[in-house]
């Protein structure tokens, strides 16, 4: 590759041939252990001639990326040791699990955390057998792998995680290997721009290493097939200083890599040393490495007359016909022996001391760095008393407030109180102000390290709000920040949070796994505030209306997920206070930003949120005895419509005994056996009755409520109104009408069930109301005054 536009490394400096030879030995050892994990059941040190009985019956793993990952690892170890660096390793191609496991084993961390995997022949045997094996460990760089904050199974998030990890960690360097296939994904493509959000004086350093091995599973990669000029221009254009390391002859490649890393580190030191005094108005050009080496390097060159090394065929298991083909078995033995294991491990299977010494020690090992087990470094947030921000309620249902704006003051003061310990940030795709959290700008700005121009609002290099128009990037940054032990909140439009559905899956899986690993410390929860929700998209309409993220999240493990639908500002404060203090959860809070009626005092809100759901006795007229009807609701708009429906029913059917139930913690609907927040059946039955009709107004898709309550005694009587996929740009009330979630449809459904013989007249009344609503809104462009100005006065 042409290097004219690339950073030029300081040739010939520093590293002796003798050291490079030892590093090559370390690399051979890691490669040997990687191949062993993929193939061997026993005979780990190949002391006996290899037979079929020594080989796993199912060969599961990925070789292609692994030698490159191992190559990078040993080189990073050198600079960590020589320069006393604080570094972790993020593996974009996480399918290279064998390589990372091998390295963590070679540096001793693996045996410290998993003492049965000893540093001897028996331990190697165990290490090999357990990989991709029932009852063993997964094939990827999963939570089980010491030093990992990134599983890398679903490609695309490595660089966002890496950047999230270095925020507010000025001494940390994250070496982030990006697969050239991974680089084709949308989330990864946008992640290069993270450098515009890094403040060199306050944050750490990400060293991206593009692993240009040329291939994915079955195809070449785009970046491997564009011209060298275009490739270098691309990364210069992203604001990096690209260095190229290229080669297929190991020793020569070692030298170039070592020299390049020395140059890279001197660039990094220069930027860091000048960070405090720099007056530049653009971001520094951080170095990055383009590593162009063959896929499946050092593996079989040809199998069955097909080239393998340096092609896509090396991606998984290059010799996969071992059971049927004696030649494959011989080739495997020759391949493994080419690493000369007898020079790397002694008779007992211990790693040779002179090579082992190359690894850093203690916490300097990338596998033992506490940043990669973020809970170890987690400092709890300092909180103001959330009750100090309470909306002062005089009479329920008569005063209005913007819930998220009130929460904004609380968040502002959390930001202020934690400014010194620098462990709280707010993330959002360009919507913090739109979501009414702008009070936070009284104490901080949005971070922006690119050029500033006059008139820019609330932008600075020191800001603690991270806004970029990529939900992927917000999510990835926040995950990286949380995984390294800090706290945050992601505020997002409800409909567009779906963009990160799949990332949520991955994070939920990660959290679930870490709960089973005693050495992994709990990390702060992933908190979402979904505002600008389905029912109040007055500007935007159909494209912005979808409450389905709740369904997506509700499917995840009950250990991990919590969903809150606070009906007003004080309940939102209480819920936010709870979520921001929690660890190891995914908390989803849905709350509107528009002025809405307020229902509970702060004391009532706190008690209601602690219970999860409950009877609003002040709004009920059942006198505490068995009602005729339960009107239930979850979500702010459904609560308003339910209350209005109750008022209507009371006016027309004064003898009807109606109970109002509000649900703030959605998971309390589930049985106690299904979710830790689930109510016991007897308590649920007491509230929802065993046999009375329940009209349930729900924020999201009705099927979610049905699925949560299907085991409850009264399930057959629970009739849910929610989002039916009807959307458009219209008035707030018309939006609920077209989905049958409005007060009239709720009341009509109730009457059909409890007063069927007296329903006709009432239904006629409702028909008139709805028809008036249609004509009024179509004529005036706003809701009828009786809807707009409605207040609760039924008590
Ligand atoms: C988002 C996503 N899509 C598809 C896959 C399936 N997959 C696994 S590995 C791979 C190829 C990866 O190629 P590259 O990033 O170049 O890694 P390497 O060559 O180092 O193995 C693909 C497509 C995946 N893991 N994640
Ligand atoms: Mg590749």
């Amino acid at each position: 590759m042409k290097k004219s536009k690339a950073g030029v490394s300081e040739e010939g400096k520093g590293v002796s041939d003798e050291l490079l030879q030892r590093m090559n030995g370390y690399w051979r050892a890691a490669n040997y252990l990687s191949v062993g994990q993929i193939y061997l059941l026993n005979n780990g040190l190949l002391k006996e001639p290899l037979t079929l009985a020594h080989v796993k019956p199912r060969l599961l793993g990925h070789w292609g990326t692994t030698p490159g990952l191992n190559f990078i690892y040993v080189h990073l170890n050198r600079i960590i040791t020589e320069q006393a660096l604080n570094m972790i390793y993020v593996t974009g191609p996480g399918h290279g699990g064998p390589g990372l496991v091998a390295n963590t084993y070679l540096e001793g961390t693996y045996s410290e955390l998993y003492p049965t995997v000893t540093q001897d022949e028996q331990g190697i045997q165990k290490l090999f057998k357990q990989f991709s094996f029932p009852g063993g460990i997964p094939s990827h760089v999963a939570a089980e792998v010491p030093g990992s904050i990134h599983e890398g199974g679903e490609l695309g998030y490595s660089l966002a995680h890496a950047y999230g990890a270095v925020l507010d960690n000025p001494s940390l360097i994250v070496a982030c290997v990006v697969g050239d296939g991974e680089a084709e994904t949308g989330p990864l493509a946008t992640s290069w721009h993270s450098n515009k959000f890094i403040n060199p004086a306050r944050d750490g350093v990400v060293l991206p290493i593009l692993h240009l091995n040329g291939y994915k599973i079955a195809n070449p990669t785009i970046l491997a097939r564009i011209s060298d000029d275009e490739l270098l221009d691309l990364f210069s254009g992203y604001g990096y200083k690209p260095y190229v390391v290229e080669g297929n002859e190991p020793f020569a490649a070692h030298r170039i890599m070592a020299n390049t890393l020395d140059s890279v580190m001197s660039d990094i030191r220069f930027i860091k040393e000048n960070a405090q005094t720099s007056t530049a108005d653009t971001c520094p050009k951080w170095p990055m490495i383009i590593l162009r080496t063959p896929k499946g390097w050092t593996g079989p060159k040809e199998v069955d007359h097909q080239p393998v090394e340096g092609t896509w065929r090396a991606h998984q298991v290059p010799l996969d016909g071992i059971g049927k083909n004696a030649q494959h078995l011989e080739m495997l033995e020759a391949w493994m022996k080419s690493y000369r294991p007898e020079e790397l491990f002694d008779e007992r299977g211990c790693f040779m001391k002179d090579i082992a010494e190359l690894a850093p020690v203690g916490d300097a090992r990338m596998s033992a760095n506490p940043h990669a087990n973020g809970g170890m470094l987690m400092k709890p947030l300092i909180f103001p008393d959330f009750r100090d921000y309470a909306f002062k309620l005089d009479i329920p249902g008569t005063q209005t407030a913007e819930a998220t704006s009130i929460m904004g003051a609380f968040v502002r003061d959390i930001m202020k109180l934690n400014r010194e310990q620098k462990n709280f940030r707010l993330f959002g795709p360009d919507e913090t102000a739109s979501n009414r959290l702008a009070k936070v700008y009284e104490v901080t700005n949005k971070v922006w390290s690119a050029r500033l121009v006059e008139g820019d609002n609330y932008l600075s290099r020191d800001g603690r709000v991270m806004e970029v128009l990529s939900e992927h990037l917000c999510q990835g940054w926040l995950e990286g920040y949380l995984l390294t032990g800090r706290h945050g909140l992601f505020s997002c439009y409800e409909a567009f949070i779906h963009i990160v559905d799949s990332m949520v899956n991955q994070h939920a899986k990660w959290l679930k796994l870490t709960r089973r690993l005693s050495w992994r410390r709990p990390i702060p929860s992933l908190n979402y505030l979904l505002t600008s929700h389905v029912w109040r998209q007055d500007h935007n309409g159909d494209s912005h209306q979808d409450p389905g993220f709740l369904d997506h999240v509700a499917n995840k493990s009950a250990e991990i997920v919590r969903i809150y639908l606070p009906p007003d500002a004080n309940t939102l404060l209480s819920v936010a206070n709870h979520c921001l203090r929690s660890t190891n959860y995914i908390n989803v809070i849905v709350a509107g930003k528009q002025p809405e009626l307020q229902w509970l005092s702060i004391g009532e809100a706190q008690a209601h949120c602690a219970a999860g759901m409950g009877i609003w006795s002040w709004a009920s007229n059942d006198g505490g005895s068995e009602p005729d009807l339960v009107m239930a609701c979850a979500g702010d708009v459904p609560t308003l419509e339910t209350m209005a429906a109750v008022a209507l029913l009371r006016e027309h059917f004064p003898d009807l005994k109606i109970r109002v139930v509000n649900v703030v913690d959605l998971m309390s609907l589930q049985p106690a056996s299904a979710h830790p927040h689930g109510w016991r059946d007897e308590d649920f039955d007491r509230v929802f009755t065993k046999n009375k009709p329940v009209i349930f107004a729900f924020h999201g898709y009705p099927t979610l409520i049905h699925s949560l309550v299907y085991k409850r005694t009264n399930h057959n009587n629970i009739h849910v109104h929610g989002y039916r996929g009807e959307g458009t740009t219209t008035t707030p009330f018309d939006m609920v009408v077209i989905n049958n979630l409005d007060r009239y449809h709720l009341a009509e459904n109730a009457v059909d069930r409890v007063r069927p013989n007296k329903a006709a007249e009432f239904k006629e009344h409702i028909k008139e109301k709805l028809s008036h609503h249609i004509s009024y809104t179509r004529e005036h462009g706003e809701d009828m005054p009786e809807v707009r100005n409605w207040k609760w006065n039924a008590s």
Side-chain angles (χ1 to χ4, degrees):
M1 181 188 281
K2 271 200 264 174
K3 300 192 182 69
S4 53
K5 295 186 183 176
V8 178
S9 53
E10 297 163 42
E11 299 287 340
K13 221 187 103 205
V15 190
S16 68
D17 283 0
E18 186 270 336
L19 177 56
L20 288 180
Q21 284 296 2
R22 285 202 293 145
M23 288 168 65
N24 191 49
Y26 203 106
W27 183 46
R28 279 159 40 214
N31 287 341
Y32 179 83
L33 293 183
S34 303
V35 183
Q37 287 176 76
I38 295 172
Y39 287 96
L40 294 191
L41 256 187
N42 45 49
N43 191 19
L45 291 175
L46 294 182
K47 285 182 177 168
E48 299 167 36
L50 194 65
T51 70
L52 213 49
H54 300 140
V55 180
K56 294 182 180 182
R58 299 167 71 237
L59 300 174
L60 309 167
H62 301 81
W63 163 248
T65 192
T66 301
L69 298 178
N70 291 340
F71 180 84
I72 295 165
Y73 207 102
V74 66
H75 280 270
L76 295 176
N77 275 350
R78 179 186 69 85
I79 54 168
I80 291 170
T81 314
E82 286 182 4
Q83 304 185 28
L85 302 179
N86 172 17
M87 185 179 275
I88 61 172
Y89 190 114
V90 166
T91 316
H95 44 282
L100 274 291
V101 170
N103 275 290
T104 62
Y105 176 78
L106 288 175
E107 57 196 12
T109 322
Y110 205 92
S111 306
E112 289 161 25
L113 296 174
Y114 304 101
T116 58
V117 184
T118 43
Q119 296 279 313
D120 54 18
E121 185 171 0
Q122 233 184 354
I124 288 179
Q125 203 74 13
K126 209 159 192 147
L127 188 81
F128 286 1
K129 183 174 175 190
Q130 65 170 15
F131 176 79
S132 280
F133 207 76
I137 61 166
S139 56
H140 283 60
V141 190
E144 286 93 336
V145 183
S148 176
I149 58 165
H150 174 86
E151 205 251 17
E154 186 167 290
L155 301 167
Y157 318 132
S158 58
L159 202 51
H161 282 166
Y163 273 105
V166 301
L167 300 172
D168 298 313
N169 263 333
S171 74
L172 183 66
I173 302 178
V174 179
C176 178
V177 184
V178 176
D180 51 354
E182 183 192 14
E184 294 173 12
T185 65
L188 199 292
T190 194
S191 296
W192 298 109
H193 284 304
S194 303
N195 53 4
K196 284 82 180 178
F197 298 84
I198 290 295
N199 174 343
R202 178 182 62 172
D203 303 319
V205 178
V206 172
L207 171 59
I209 302 171
L210 177 70
H211 193 192
L212 198 71
N213 60 17
Y215 293 90
K216 306 181 288 247
I217 299 177
N219 282 291
T221 60
I222 294 170
L223 294 182
R225 300 291 176 94
I226 60 175
S227 74
D228 296 350
D229 278 345
E230 280 180 16
L231 186 65
L232 296 173
D233 284 350
L234 180 68
F235 289 105
S236 306
Y238 278 132
Y240 293 88
K241 177 176 174 187
Y243 283 85
V244 178
V245 174
E246 182 171 0
N248 51 15
E249 197 288 300
F251 196 80
H254 280 306
R255 175 157 300 289
I256 301 171
M257 183 68 170
N259 289 340
T260 300
L261 275 175
D262 286 342
S263 302
V264 159
M265 281 314 302
S266 95
D267 289 351
I268 289 173
R269 265 195 310 277
F270 181 83
I271 295 171
K272 292 295 269 182
E273 280 163 13
N274 290 291
Q276 302 289 354
T277 50
S278 170
T279 53
D281 69 345
T282 52
C283 324
K285 288 225 163 231
W286 295 102
M288 62 145 329
I289 295 175
I290 299 171
L291 176 66
R292 184 167 240 167
T293 52
K295 190 152 182 166
W297 200 10
T298 72
K301 300 230 174 311
E302 246 187 37
V303 179
D304 302 334
H305 312 294
Q306 300 274 20
V308 172
E309 188 195 41
T311 78
W312 52 269
R313 290 190 190 86
H315 181 71
Q316 288 185 355
V317 179
L319 297 161
D320 59 357
I322 289 185
K324 294 166 260 153
N325 187 333
Q327 208 197 356
H328 281 204
L329 186 69
E330 275 170 35
M331 288 170 79
L332 172 62
E333 187 171 29
W335 173 16
M336 292 196 73
K337 286 199 160 164
S338 75
Y339 298 119
R340 305 194 298 282
E342 66 289 353
E343 294 175 12
L344 309 171
F345 302 96
D346 68 15
E347 226 356 72
R348 291 166 304 135
C350 300
F351 194 24
M352 295 292 192
K353 198 158 167 287
D354 62 320
I355 310 179
E357 272 169 7
L358 293 177
V361 292
D363 286 358
R365 293 171 296 181
M366 291 189 279
S367 54
N369 189 314
H371 289 286
N373 185 4
M376 290 174 82
L377 302 175
M378 179 179 73
K379 288 194 210 116
L381 284 178
I382 305 165
F383 281 89
D385 188 335
F386 73 96
R387 290 167 298 197
D388 293 346
Y389 303 83
F391 176 79
K392 195 175 163 319
L393 187 84
D394 300 320
I395 305 168
T398 60
Q399 301 151 277
T400 58
E402 292 175 359
T404 57
S405 170
I406 287 177
M407 176 175 164
F410 180 51
V411 172
R412 172 198 62 206
D413 290 349
I414 296 173
M415 190 64 90
K416 192 158 91 188
L417 289 171
N418 294 281
R419 206 156 34 189
E420 288 302 304
Q421 54 179 32
K422 296 198 179 83
N423 61 346
F424 181 64
R425 291 202 188 209
L426 209 55
F427 299 78
D430 195 27
E431 293 158 7
T432 307
S434 159
N435 290 338
R436 306 284 192 275
L437 297 175
K439 286 198 185 82
V440 77
Y441 299 137
E442 292 167 22
V443 298
T444 190
N445 288 307
K446 292 172 272 190
V447 61
W448 190 261
S449 294
R451 200 157 52 87
L452 290 167
V453 302
E454 198 146 338
D456 281 344
N457 234 357
Y458 305 127
L459 294 182
S460 86
R461 293 192 173 191
D462 296 320
R464 308 196 60 73
V465 177
M466 307 211 52
E467 291 210 331
V468 62
L469 211 177
S470 163
E471 284 75 5
H472 286 123
L473 204 40
C474 291
Q475 171 87 18
W477 285 342
L478 175 55
E479 287 178 1
Y481 201 59
L482 302 173
L483 287 159
T484 45
R486 286 76 60 70
H487 310 256
L489 173 69
F490 184 174
S491 90
C492 190
Y493 281 18
E494 185 183 36
F496 301 143
I497 197 66
H498 269 306
I499 290 169
V500 300
D501 276 1
S502 206
M503 296 180 80
V504 176
N505 288 345
Q506 301 301 327
H507 193 70
K509 285 168 199 268
W510 178 276
L511 289 178
K512 189 166 156 226
L513 252 173
T514 57
R515 283 171 168 263
R516 291 169 201 169
L517 298 168
S518 57
W519 58 272
R520 288 253 180 213
R521 299 282 180 274
I523 58 166
S525 298
L526 170 54
N527 298 307
Y528 294 98
L529 174 66
L530 304 184
T531 183
S532 305
H533 62 53
V534 51
W535 303 113
R536 296 305 306 269
Q537 282 295 341
D538 305 9
H539 281 290
N540 296 308
D542 207 9
S543 59
H544 289 52
Q545 292 159 343
D546 191 285
F549 188 66
L550 298 187
D551 301 81
H552 180 68
V553 169
N555 285 327
K556 308 294 149 225
S557 164
E559 283 175 290
I560 305 299
V561 294
R562 276 95 184 92
I563 296 174
Y564 299 96
L565 294 150
D568 68 358
N570 287 338
T571 44
L572 175 60
L573 278 174
S574 175
V575 163
N577 177 64
H578 174 78
C579 293
L580 288 167
R581 288 169 189 270
S582 68
T583 57
N584 271 0
Y585 295 139
I586 295 177
N587 296 308
V588 182
I589 310 172
V590 187
K593 63 182 184 182
Q594 306 290 353
E596 298 282 6
L597 290 173
Q598 300 298 301
W599 306 106
L600 300 185
S601 71
I602 193 71
E604 291 165 337
Q606 202 175 354
H608 185 47
C609 294
M613 61 183 174
I615 300 170
W616 283 5
S617 50
W618 52 269
S620 308
N621 67 346
D622 58 357
S625 58
E626 186 81 351
D628 301 317
L629 166 73
V630 175
M631 295 292 285
C633 46
D636 50 11
V637 167
T639 299
L640 167 69
E641 291 308 315
T642 292
M643 296 299 274
V646 168
L648 197 63
L649 288 167
R650 285 232 221 144
E651 186 191 330
H652 289 264
F653 301 92
D655 62 322
L656 199 58
K657 285 196 282 174
I658 307 172
R659 172 179 292 175
V660 176
V661 173
N662 183 268
V663 180
V664 62
D665 174 350
L666 204 62
M667 293 305 171
S668 58
L669 291 172
Q670 278 195 303
S673 56
H675 194 282
H677 290 191
W679 273 30
R680 293 180 314 161
D681 280 336
E682 49 276 37
D683 297 330
F684 187 94
D685 290 351
R686 216 168 2 87
V687 168
F688 285 92
T689 77
K690 286 190 172 169
N691 53 12
K692 297 296 183 300
V694 178
I695 306 298
F696 198 126
F698 178 48
H699 174 88
Y701 288 94
T703 47
L704 177 53
I705 298 297
H706 287 299
S707 70
L708 296 175
V709 302
Y710 82 101
K711 282 192 173 165
R712 301 294 194 179
T713 318
N714 201 20
H715 175 214
N716 283 345
N717 277 320
I718 297 180
H719 309 284
V720 186
H721 293 230
Y723 183 64
R724 306 193 308 168
E726 296 297 331
T728 182
T729 313
T730 187
T731 67
F733 188 64
D734 197 40
M735 187 58 200
V736 285
V737 170
I738 60 179
N739 285 284
N740 288 4
L741 182 63
D742 60 288
R743 56 201 69 179
Y744 299 121
H745 283 105
L746 295 175
E748 184 180 34
N749 194 353
V751 170
D752 275 341
R753 288 168 201 289
V754 290
R755 292 286 186 273
N757 327 335
K758 296 191 185 159
E761 195 187 326
F762 185 65
K763 284 170 89 107
E764 199 47 45
H765 171 67
I766 281 183
K767 213 164 130 192
E768 274 167 29
K769 285 286 177 196
L770 286 171
S771 127
H772 181 53
H773 154 75
I774 299 285
S775 52
Y776 188 94
T777 48
R778 271 64 181 164
E779 187 181 343
H780 298 281
E782 63 177 351
D783 286 322
M784 303 182 291
E786 66 189 272
V787 167
R788 262 186 292 136
N789 304 325
W790 183 87
K791 287 187 177 32
W792 171 255
N793 62 2
S795 44

